[in-house]
Amino acid sequence: MASLLHPDRVVYLVRGQKRIRAPLSQLYFCRYCSELRSLECVSHEVDSHYCPSCLENMPSAEAKLKKNRCANCFDCPCCMHTLSTRATNIPAPLADDPTKTTMKKAYYLACGFCRWTSRDVGMADKSVGRHLSNFHINGVGILLALGTPQLSVVNLRYDQLSLMFWSILSVAASGGWQEPENPHGQRISKLIEYYQQLAHREKQERDRKKLARRRQCMPLAFSEKYGLGTRLHRQRPGAPIATLAGLSLKEGEDQKEITIEPAQALDEVEPLPEDCYTRPISLPEVTTLRQRLLQPDFQPAGASQLHPRHKHLLMKRSLRCRKCEHNLSKPEFNPTSIKFKIQLVAVSYIPEVRIMSIPNLRFMKESQVLLTLTNPVENITHVTLALCEEDDPDDINSTSKVLVPSKELVLAGKDAAAEYDELAEPQDFQDDPDIVAFRKSNKIGFFIKVVPLKEEDTDVTVSFRMRHDFRNLAAPIRQSEEGGDAAHEAVWLTHHVELRLGPLAP
Amino acid sequence: MADKLNAQKSVKIAAGAVVCVESEIRGDVTIGTRTVVHPKARIIAEAGPIVIGEGNLIEEQALIINSYPENITPDSEVEPKTMTIGTNNVFEVGCADVGRNVILTSGCIIGAFCQVNTCEVIPENTVIYGSGCMRRVQTERPQPQTLQLDFLMKILPNYHHLKKTIKASHTT
């Protein structure tokens, strides 16, 4: 019976760029356009980054610098679970007196799921705890803290300086876990620098040409080729003159040429070991493809070289309607909070149809299906059901004929206090017992008649159109001439609903 | 044949073991000292005796069964083969160690809901974890279960009745 409540049983049609059929729980409703929106008709924007295990928030610039990884948390390289730090007491000689031994705490990383420990790969236990784990690196912040007065250098060489300081501070900040260095790291960073400089120079030339042609303000949006970083090109107020001055300054400073040597092709390749084909493989020592590819810089073949990786950051995203540019969903900034600042989900505006019970469906025989309609808003809603027309282009999935009640169904408003208020009089709706099976606060159960038309093995699907009135509380109340008439105008919205009733009874 | 079937259907529980009454132990089972058997664990020795060593930890809903091989009916002649479970193993919640041909050595950890139906000797210090597929990780040292075992041996008697050794009653 619980499978009748499965969200995929009842889908609503969204008329966006694509025709998307999705359950109401996965849709959003733009109340400015008065239309349903699905995840594909909205634009997704990154709101904030956070680590899923330590729930630490991180500004986007910092996240980009750390390659979207958390500094404190690690993932098990074996099963990708979160690693936890465990402590053991080891006897260690005191610094002053080598003959006496005291118990010192040694920390190691361990996985609770697959029992992997950092000792398996030979990582030494650390004796320093993670006291500095919450130290954030903020470009200007470091320099100010260290007393370096050259603030003007920050904006131009932020990436280089911060890399340098980060490497110094990373040892202290993350508790001193040594991380294997990428053997190609230096070459890669040199290549990146060279190309950044090249792109920068090309852009300068292009802008200078534009300047020569037009003697006006430069276009503010430059296209970035190799990702030079937004800080370099942030527009300050009073832009045109500053940027012109900035260009000449950059020219003067940018004397240092970075040259790279081209990659050299080697003729000789290391030969395979002789017993490559005959040596039996010990499976526990070989890494799986997934484990190997999660570390693309090293791709270790042996399990003894699998080092833990920093945990990947997750992000919170906000959704925006593409037509009217209003926000449909905006989460809270705090990673520990699951609430939303703006949450325009479809279930809180559109009445929801759910299947309650299905009798045995037989080919070409009419049977009654019980559906429920729930009213999510607080005022009375009128719902009319209609059949899809003969040539309806949206009606592609239905395999049966349906007879919907022709009368208008009235749904009471959702009253949160109704369950506690025993003295409330039950509202008096004249319900036709043939159509309305029951009524319970803001929900009614009603019957529809279904005649399956196809004898194949597929599910019987039914589609109809639902028309209801929607009062737009977002629109400003127009000052009517009579004065005092604060009623919002009701807009009638029509939705195409498809139900999947299940297979025919054998 | 009747002799073989009825021989020694007793459960021998050593002195230091903690076996909760709610666990189901059937057949000829020997449990070593310092072993903890949680309630709702099931140890069923149908087709032969099971010998469980010392220092093992068998958690809830774990199933250790010495069952008949599939294609042989129980009535025909079957050699009772002893299933041996070594020392310092951990059987996590819901795992099933089925089969007469699995030999567990010491220091193994069979993770939650993992089925071990194979005919093999599981080497020392193996960890079997993961959903679906069986994956093994060789750890370098046996797990320090002493802390957990001590804790459980103190706490479990506070909340559960324990099974004591049943004296061997049938001899045929």
Side-chain angles (χ1 to χ4, degrees), chain A residues 91-110:
Chain A
L94 266 180
D96 329 325
D97 197 354
T99 51
K100 286 197 208 151
T101 58
T102 51
M103 304 301 281
K104 245 182 23 169
K105 278 209 182 272
Y107 299 96
Y108 63 97
L109 294 170

Side-chain angles (χ1 to χ4, degrees), chain A residues 57-85:
Chain A
N57 215 318
M58 223 180 273
S60 309
E62 193 184 334
K64 203 168 164 186
L65 190 66
K66 294 196 206 162
K67 300 187 184 153
N68 291 332
R69 305 257 168 189
C70 178
N72 311 324
C73 308
F74 291 89
D75 271 344
C76 174
C78 197
C79 64
M80 296 93 200
H81 192 62
T82 311
L83 288 176
S84 49
T85 313

Side-chain angles (χ1 to χ4, degrees), chain B residues 19-170:
Chain B
V19 179
C20 298
V21 147
E22 291 88 349
S23 63
E24 182 187 333
I25 306 185
R26 278 197 269 139
D28 182 12
V29 179
T30 313
I31 299 183
T33 183
R34 297 200 76 228
T35 297
V36 177
V37 179
H38 280 237
K40 294 297 174 195
R42 293 191 293 155
I43 306 175
I44 299 173
E46 270 181 349
I50 298 181
V51 175
I52 302 184
E54 306 181 359
N56 296 302
L57 176 57
I58 303 168
E59 295 190 1
E60 287 88 344
Q61 312 261 14
L63 168 64
I64 300 175
I65 176 168
N66 188 353
S67 61
Y68 295 107
E70 280 176 12
N71 26 11
I72 305 180
T73 59
D75 291 330
S76 57
E77 291 275 333
V78 179
E79 276 287 320
K81 190 166 172 196
T82 312
M83 187 170 162
T84 323
I85 298 193
T87 58
N88 292 323
N89 299 306
V90 175
F91 293 80
E92 286 189 8
V93 174
C95 70
D97 195 14
V98 182
R100 345 177 53 228
N101 295 320
V102 183
I103 299 176
L104 278 167
T105 51
S106 67
C108 300
I109 298 180
I110 303 188
F113 252 74
C114 294
Q115 310 272 331
V116 185
N117 293 343
T118 54
C119 304
E120 60 178 320
V121 177
I122 299 185
E124 292 195 3
N125 299 336
T126 314
V127 177
I128 301 176
Y129 67 97
S131 67
C133 30
M134 252 173 44
R135 296 181 228 179
R136 295 166 187 216
V137 153
Q138 296 285 135
T139 62
E140 286 173 338
R141 49 169 178 82
Q143 313 303 313
Q145 297 295 18
T146 41
L147 283 174
Q148 199 177 359
L149 280 173
D150 285 338
F151 178 76
L152 284 171
M153 286 167 74
K154 266 184 254 166
I155 293 283
L156 274 177
N158 292 345
Y159 298 97
H160 295 279
H161 293 288
L162 301 179
K163 268 188 195 166
K164 301 288 175 206
T165 303
I166 304 168
K167 294 274 186 290
S169 49
H170 330 263

